[in-house]
Amino acid sequence: MPQTPVIEAKNLDLTFQTNDGPVQALSDISLEIRAGEFVSFIGPSGCGKTTFLRCVAALETPTGGSLSVNGMTPEAARQARAYGYVFQAAGLYPWRTIAGNIRLPLEIMGFSKAEQLSRVDKVLDLVDLTGFGGKYPWQLSGGMQQRASIARALSFDADILLMDEPFGALDEIVRDHLNEELLKLWARTGKTIGFVTHSIPEAVYLSSKIVVMSPRPGRITDVIDNPLPRERPLDIRDTPEFLAVAHRVREGLRAGHAYD
Amino acid sequence: MRRVLLPVLSVVAVIVALWYLACVPMNMHTALTEAERAGAVVSPTGAKARRDLSAIGLALRNPAQWADTLTQAKPRLPAPHQVLVELWDTTVNKKITSKRSLVFHGWVTLSATLLGFAIGTLAGIVLAIGIVHSRAMDMSVMPWAIASQTIPILAIAPMIIVVLNSLGVQGLIPKAIISAYLSFFPVVVGMVKGLRSPAGMQLDLLSTYHASRAQVFWLLRLPASVPYLFASLKVGIAASLIGAIVGELPTGAVRGLGARLLSGSYYGQTIQIWSALFATAILAAVLVALIAGVERLTLKRMGMNG
């Protein structure tokens, strides 16, 4: 089977016009993401990692270069509901139960009632929240809320999952747990995942490919194919192989003057 | 409950005590004149000699007349118990069809208030939806809505009454329109804020689902605006009541709480004025409490009682 890229960016540029003059958020980004890859974007604030993800989701419009998603323009891909997007905050509606929140995209997309029910059950199980469908968001912990928001993004079964620092606001213990869960979920669903983070261990632990970015202007300084096996227990993070990859990521960040 | 009750009762007690205290000097001049006419010795003698003396000084010099200040028929400041007795008398002891029944007058005002509130709320919501969805409306309607509230209602109410009367519309409708004129504004402001309350992230999320504008409105903006709506409704219902009362003033004081206020001031019936004022305040408090109750139930049903 020929591997056509799911997401393909060529010489992508994005300049924001602000009151302080133009700001180049993305500069000459070229990248291919293939089906089933788990790609992390890492870099300091202002390196354009979130902006790139938003371009893929057609929430921002690039000012130069080309970008295709599933062989379409990002806008067409958005209209075709090609991806699920997970934001940094869970953003659940307080007036809907967990099941109601997960049903939201399904209602918008016009799934039948029976289909909605079965899909909600399925994704609740996928994120390990079975039995919590009837609860309201405020009754759940932050980590559980974020899992519900992942379930919401999975519910309509798009092939691509875009995640913008989904665990950034959670404490490290919950984060470790969710990282492990996410890997299992990726293994079970085979989705193509774009994952923004500023945690080196998180990027190395999760990804099959790590894109290191640096700011002013936002650009790619290194793309690392992660040599770690797909099966990753949490303590793989203490192995020399893991530390070697983490070291290379750190070098990439340093090369981009990201520590300035 | 007990921890709330004690401070609340203390504040009420302080207010009542201050009120009684104020009654003494306020009604002293009249009390002394009447006492003197009845043959009592007061100091100084003669209404003319007392005219320019301070009421507090007189009260201190004539402790025997203190009790008289609390029982006059037309006091400058009626005592709390006089107002209470009048309230009781004109609500419980009168048939509700009687022209002297506050329940009758209260219902006249309440019906105009409720109709005006309904019109105002509906108009406010419709305007807010327009303002949020159309930039042209945002720019053109909002300044007028604000300008409308800078016009003193006392000035515009008679004009509305007169204009509508010349068109053959009288009674409930003109009062309700004045009522609506006051109550639409807090609803517009609150609903615009509420409909715009969803954060950029929430709108982005719906954008990733390729949701239509109507879906964004019904699924996100409208439910998100509910808490703001109730805050506005509480302000709006009180404003509606004021509007209805003001609307009763220029019609010649026939029916309604406004009429009671006006006829009371025509004939120096201070007790009647104060009891009408209290009836209004109690009515407003009940209306606001009703809305607060509906708010609590609604938010609870929506699961937003976290």
Side-chain angles (χ1 to χ4, degrees):
Chain A
M1 190 173 95
Q3 278 272 32
T4 52
V6 173
I7 297 168
E8 186 172 26
K10 276 188 197 139
N11 312 110
L12 201 67
D13 282 309
L14 173 55
T15 307
F16 288 116
Q17 298 300 334
T18 72
N19 290 334
D20 302 328
V23 172
Q24 196 165 20
L26 294 176
S27 165
D28 198 24
I29 303 284
S30 294
L31 186 69
E32 279 184 9
I33 298 177
R34 300 188 175 279
E37 277 192 301
F38 193 129
V39 181
S40 281
F41 298 85
I42 187 165
S45 309
C47 72
K49 54 195 192 295
T50 292
T51 307
F52 179 72
L53 212 64
R54 289 175 62 85
C55 285
V56 174
L59 295 172
E60 306 284 357
T61 312
T63 45
S66 72
L67 179 61
S68 75
V69 179
N70 278 353
M72 299 175 262
T73 65
E75 181 58 26
R78 179 178 75 86
Q79 292 180 10
R81 287 135 178 177
Y83 61 85
Y85 202 105
V86 180
F87 294 83
Q88 181 168 10
L92 302 171
Y93 290 2
W95 57 85
R96 281 174 173 250
T97 59
I98 296 304
N101 270 288
I102 295 170
R103 229 175 16 243
L104 177 74
L106 304 176
E107 284 173 20
I108 289 172
M109 296 173 193
F111 285 84
S112 72
K113 281 270 183 292
E115 181 76 17
Q116 289 179 18
L117 284 177
S118 74
R119 277 172 182 262
V120 167
D121 282 346
K122 199 181 113 198
V123 292
L124 274 176
D125 175 53
L126 218 48
V127 299
D128 210 9
L129 277 180
T130 305
F132 287 93
K135 298 272 189 217
Y136 281 98
W138 58 271
Q139 295 172 301
L140 268 60
S141 69
M144 288 165 101
Q145 289 188 23
Q146 196 53 278
R147 283 193 341 236
S149 93
I150 293 170
R152 182 177 60 186
L154 291 170
S155 65
F156 49 100
D157 212 17
D159 295 332
I160 306 171
L161 189 57
L162 302 175
M163 307 178 88
D164 182 7
E165 291 188 47
F167 309 138
L170 304 174
D171 68 65
E172 198 152 338
I173 298 162
V174 176
R175 196 176 182 148
D176 278 354
H177 177 63
L178 290 185
N179 280 342
E180 222 177 348
E181 296 283 304
L182 184 58
L183 270 189
K184 282 188 201 146
L185 198 144
W186 178 50
R188 276 171 76 180
T189 58
K191 304 242 181 248
T192 311
I193 299 182
F195 188 94
V196 166
T197 179
H198 49 221
S199 156
I200 296 173
E202 191 170 67
V204 178
Y205 177 68
L206 290 173
S207 325
S208 59
K209 186 192 264 181
I210 303 163
V211 178
V212 183
M213 298 180 74
S214 77
R216 287 178 297 274
R219 63 193 187 281
I220 295 176
T221 50
D222 198 5
V223 177
I224 303 164
D225 283 309
N226 195 337
L228 297 177
R230 281 237 170 174
E231 191 69 34
R232 298 175 191 176
L234 269 177
D235 48 25
I236 199 172
R237 295 179 300 183
D238 298 323
T239 62
E241 294 82 3
F242 185 96
L243 295 175
V245 182
H247 179 74
R248 194 175 150 193
V249 173
R250 199 168 283 117
E251 287 298 313
L253 290 170
R254 194 168 287 146
H257 304 290
Y259 289 133
D260 290 353
Chain B
M1 194 65 205
R2 232 166 131 185
R3 291 168 71 179
V4 186
L5 213 59
L6 193 67
V8 168
L9 288 179
S10 311
V11 169
V12 171
V14 168
I15 290 173
V16 171
L18 282 175
W19 186 352
Y20 269 114
L21 213 61
C23 284
V24 175
M26 284 294 278
N27 303 328
M28 204 58 192
H29 279 95
T30 333
L32 290 176
T33 310
E34 280 172 5
E36 203 168 32
R37 212 174 278 152
V41 181
V42 299
S43 117
T45 48
K48 213 170 168 188
R50 289 192 299 268
R51 201 181 58 197
D52 296 327
L53 294 179
S54 90
I56 294 174
L58 283 176
L60 290 176
R61 284 163 74 172
N62 298 282
Q65 271 70 42
W66 286 4
D68 297 347
T69 59
L70 306 177
T71 55
Q72 294 166 0
K74 289 186 176 184
R76 265 194 211 164
L77 176 63
H81 68 270
Q82 289 179 298
V83 176
L84 274 183
V85 167
E86 169 79 5
L87 265 178
W88 182 262
D89 208 35
T90 48
T91 49
V92 181
N93 292 341
K94 291 276 184 298
K95 279 205 292 189
I96 55 164
T97 49
S98 159
K99 282 270 162 100
R100 297 204 52 201
S101 165
L102 266 187
V103 179
F104 165 77
H105 291 288
W107 168 248
V108 169
T109 304
L110 179 64
S111 53
T113 301
L114 292 180
L115 181 61
F117 178 64
I119 297 170
T121 302
L122 204 68
I125 292 174
V126 169
L127 281 177
I129 292 171
I131 286 170
V132 167
H133 286 92
S134 148
R135 197 168 151 67
M137 261 190 93
D138 187 13
M139 310 267 284
S140 60
V141 174
M142 209 53 181
W144 286 104
I146 293 166
S148 76
Q149 301 302 301
T150 63
I151 301 168
I153 191 67
L154 269 173
I156 202 166
M159 292 194 266
I160 292 175
I161 302 276
V162 168
V163 167
L164 287 177
N165 193 41
S166 71
L167 296 173
V169 182
Q170 22 179 312
L172 188 66
I173 303 289
K175 287 198 283 177
I177 287 174
I178 294 165
S179 206
Y181 184 89
L182 284 188
S183 63
F184 89 95
F185 185 68
V187 177
V188 171
V189 173
M191 278 304 275
V192 166
K193 180 115 176 129
L195 292 172
R196 283 188 178 147
S197 66
M201 191 214 105
Q202 295 283 7
L203 296 169
D204 282 347
L205 179 69
L206 289 187
S207 174
T208 68
Y209 301 151
H210 189 45
S212 68
R213 258 172 98 137
Q215 285 170 327
V216 173
F217 176 77
W218 289 108
L219 294 172
L220 176 60
R221 289 192 189 275
L222 196 63
S225 72
V226 169
Y228 295 83
L229 175 64
F230 277 107
S232 297
L233 291 184
K234 280 188 240 172
V235 180
I237 190 90
S240 280
L241 185 59
I242 307 248
I245 288 172
V246 170
E248 284 164 354
L249 298 181
T251 55
V254 194
R255 287 199 200 97
L257 292 171
R260 290 293 280 178
L261 288 173
L262 200 60
S263 74
S265 72
Y266 281 165
Y267 303 112
Q269 296 284 0
T270 44
I271 299 179
Q272 180 188 321
I273 298 177
W274 278 81
S275 63
L277 280 179
F278 268 80
T280 310
I282 291 165
L283 190 57
V286 169
L287 290 173
V288 172
L290 275 177
I291 289 178
V294 176
E295 175 182 30
R296 217 173 5 255
L297 283 178
T298 309
L299 293 186
K300 196 170 176 179
R301 278 204 64 165
M302 288 175 79
M304 296 205 282
N305 56 341

